[in-house]
Amino acid sequence: MLFRSQITLKLVKVQGGEAQPDTQWTVITPGGDTIKESIGAFPTFVLSEGDYTAIARKEGKNFSRDIKVEAGKNQEVEVLAK
């Protein structure tokens, strides 16, 4: 049985800020394999427990954040656009 959690991503200009619309998202494994892709302000993914990197693309720039998914612990993850 795989242990999963729901992760919601948002690209923000400042911590706790408003999510940026029309953001392209990619979630990858530490080995660089693409797991999920989406476009939007609040994409939500169900991921297996483990380590990932969330990559946001907006206006030709890339922003990323490493995330750790723990079984049964749903999270909202902010990626800072800086």
Side-chain angles (χ1 to χ4, degrees):
M1 180 177 180
L2 293 176
F3 297 96
R4 299 176 181 264
S5 291
Q6 184 172 293
I7 306 297
T8 301
L9 302 173
K10 66 185 219 179
L11 180 67
V12 296
K13 292 183 179 179
V14 295
Q15 195 168 14
E18 188 173 323
Q20 301 299 299
D22 303 319
T23 302
Q24 293 181 305
W25 293 96
T26 304
V27 177
I28 62 171
T29 65
D33 295 324
T34 298
I35 301 298
K36 303 279 186 178
E37 292 184 307
S38 185
I39 297 175
F42 296 99
T44 300
F45 304 111
V46 175
L47 299 173
S48 297
E49 187 172 51
D51 296 321
Y52 300 90
T53 299
I55 301 168
R57 290 179 192 81
K58 178 79 173 168
E59 298 172 352
K61 296 179 183 173
N62 290 345
F63 310 98
S64 65
R65 177 175 173 179
D66 293 334
I67 54 177
K68 182 171 192 68
V69 175
E70 297 177 32
K73 183 179 176 188
N74 296 339
Q75 311 177 50
E76 182 174 277
V77 176
E78 293 183 344
V79 176
L80 287 175
K82 62 175 184 172

